[in-house]
Amino acid sequence: MNSFDRSAAGIAQVFRGTFVHSTQQTALEILEDALLGVDTEGKIAFIGKGEELDKLLKSTNFNPSEVIQLSQHEFFMPGMVDTHIHASQYSYAGTALDMPLLQWLNTYTFPVESQFKDLDFANRVYSKVVKRTLRNGTTTACYFATIHTDASLLLGKIANDFGQRALVGKVCMDRNNFVKHYKETMQESQDETCRFIAELLKKKYPLVKPVVTPRFAPSCTGALLGQLGAIAKNNNLHIQSHVSENTEEVKLVKELFPDSESYTDVYYKHNLLTDKTVMAHGCHLSDEELALFRETGASLSHCPNSNISLCSGVLNVRNVLKQKVKLGLGTDVAGGYSASMLDAVRKALDSSKILTIQDPEHDTLTFEEAFMLATLGGSQALSLDDQIGNFEVGKDFDALRVNVAAPGGPIDLIQSEGPKILLEKFLNLGDDRNIMEVFVAGRKVIPFTEPTA
């Protein structure tokens, strides 16, 4: 454990109980009867042992009656990181899963996304998706919005107002032969992206930042991709897109970009693969492409629900990890029908087991590894692991207070269980009823204190 390290800021909260998290060395570390202090800036000031309480109180002047004690069936875990979610698709989540990717986009997605020029509609959808993901324990979300700058700025405001940490992207696309009214010219996309970035940064939201967002190579000309790569570099911004989701898409990219060696090479040639890039899916990447991810520091977002729901493919997570490519989990609403990262954990395990059924030699993911991918892995994929992802002194306190025995919850406990079993049960059986409190940068955001009507 970390020794006491009193922050220059005052101590705002002290919690005592079980904490579970991942470290660079192990997928699951369990800290029983631990003390964790949060300072007035929302950062973890110290982590120590419960037996050191008296020593702690002398060094911090914190009142012992104010120490918050977790119950027998409770634990704290890091907030979950959704590395890929389309906020604009939330209105039809749970439907429209009867087509493969390209047909699905043209039939359902583009017509719905074109509605976001209506700010009232955008406000309704974005308010609901931010509240729902927070309730589900997503403390950090990497959002795709739409091509509409003002609606995308509204998503940033809503995330800020509810206290969620977010990367928000105005979608860029200057090529769309199927829904012709839902696209931009290259100049419009470039100008509006610059306006979006400037206006969002001007807001100085502490936890909400812009991310450069070419939708994916088939919907962007090479000229636009190059401009977006330059914009990201000049502003030192994150980049998000899609890569190798299904085989039809991979074939289309080869036809559209015949001079590129691979789908990944398209992004590489346009300076869109950096250590702040996250690409969704990657089901059909070659080892050579994964090597390019590793060399550039770019990461993948594994979206198993969507991969299965749209029959896109099954990502071999074990091989990605073996190639030392950064990897997080994503819900990919609405290609993925659930906005819960717990679902992403479960589907990641199911997908790995499918590969084991096909090849008994395959090394199946463990629940501890899936837990790591949903927390620390996600923070690494978004290059935010210096701020969030686990319980280390100096990091922001992004955390879920979980009660596995929550009254009216989905889990029945038959006998006394240790914290490892409680975590496993929560990951496999739990839902928002088990998430009693959610903290982002030390601020309690669940239960909501703002009006939720």
Side-chain angles (χ1 to χ4, degrees), residues 388-407:
I388 60 170
N390 59 7
F391 298 128
E392 291 184 359
V393 170
K395 289 191 177 184
D396 287 3
F397 186 64
D398 286 17
L400 314 181
R401 182 173 178 172
V402 176
N403 183 354
V404 182

Side-chain angles (χ1 to χ4, degrees), residues 162-394:
F162 283 105
Q164 188 173 54
R165 189 183 304 274
L167 292 170
V168 175
K170 186 208 86 68
V171 170
C172 300
M173 49 189 295
D174 65 343
R175 181 156 50 189
N176 186 353
N177 295 327
F178 297 95
V179 183
K180 290 185 167 49
H181 63 280
Y182 187 57
K183 68 176 180 179
E184 314 157 289
T185 67
M186 187 194 79
Q187 194 63 47
E188 285 171 344
S189 189
Q190 179 183 343
D191 292 347
E192 288 301 295
T193 295
C194 290
R195 179 167 81 87
F196 170 73
I197 292 166
E199 293 196 19
L200 188 57
L201 291 176
K202 190 167 67 175
K203 302 289 185 184
K204 297 191 184 305
Y205 297 141
L207 303 177
V208 180
K209 299 291 184 277
V211 48
V212 174
T213 307
R215 177 174 215 108
F216 67 157
S219 67
C220 298
T221 60
L224 177 57
L225 291 175
Q227 289 294 334
L228 295 176
I231 289 170
K233 182 178 180 180
N234 293 338
N235 294 277
N236 190 26
L237 292 179
H238 283 78
I239 298 165
Q240 64 176 347
S241 195
H242 303 80
V243 68
S244 294
E245 186 172 351
N246 85 353
T247 53
E248 185 182 5
E249 170 210 17
V250 173
K251 182 181 177 184
L252 177 60
V253 170
K254 191 171 185 179
E255 294 171 359
L256 293 172
F257 297 90
D259 295 336
S260 293
E261 294 179 14
S262 66
Y263 199 155
T264 302
D265 188 49
V266 173
Y267 293 125
Y268 180 71
K269 283 182 173 175
H270 294 96
N271 299 312
L272 289 165
L273 283 191
T274 76
D275 61 359
K276 297 177 79 170
T277 294
V278 57
M279 291 283 174
H281 305 293
C283 298
H284 306 284
L285 292 174
S286 66
D287 284 354
E288 289 76 18
E289 288 177 278
L290 288 172
L292 203 50
F293 270 79
R294 181 180 66 249
E295 291 161 12
T296 57
S299 62
L300 282 174
S301 172
H302 177 33
C303 306
N305 185 316
S306 175
N307 294 341
I308 295 169
S309 293
L310 300 183
C311 298
S312 296
V314 181
L315 178 68
N316 188 330
V317 169
R318 183 64 67 199
N319 188 51
V320 173
L321 297 176
K322 179 183 172 185
Q323 299 285 341
K324 299 190 179 342
V325 173
K326 295 183 297 183
L327 183 71
L329 298 182
T331 58
D332 194 27
V333 166
Y337 55 75
S338 172
S340 171
M341 284 294 292
L342 288 172
D343 175 83
V345 167
R346 294 162 194 167
K347 295 298 191 298
L349 292 170
D350 289 347
S351 295
S352 185
K353 289 170 182 174
I354 288 170
L355 294 177
T356 301
I357 291 170
Q358 295 172 342
D359 175 12
E361 297 297 313
H362 177 258
D363 186 9
T364 314
L365 284 181
T366 65
F367 86 84
E368 295 95 333
E369 289 175 310
F371 168 76
M372 185 276 292
L373 292 175
T375 55
L376 182 60
S379 73
Q380 292 168 339
L382 299 183
S383 294
L384 295 174
D385 49 311
D386 60 333
Q387 301 173 52
I388 60 170
N390 59 7
F391 298 128
E392 291 184 359
V393 170

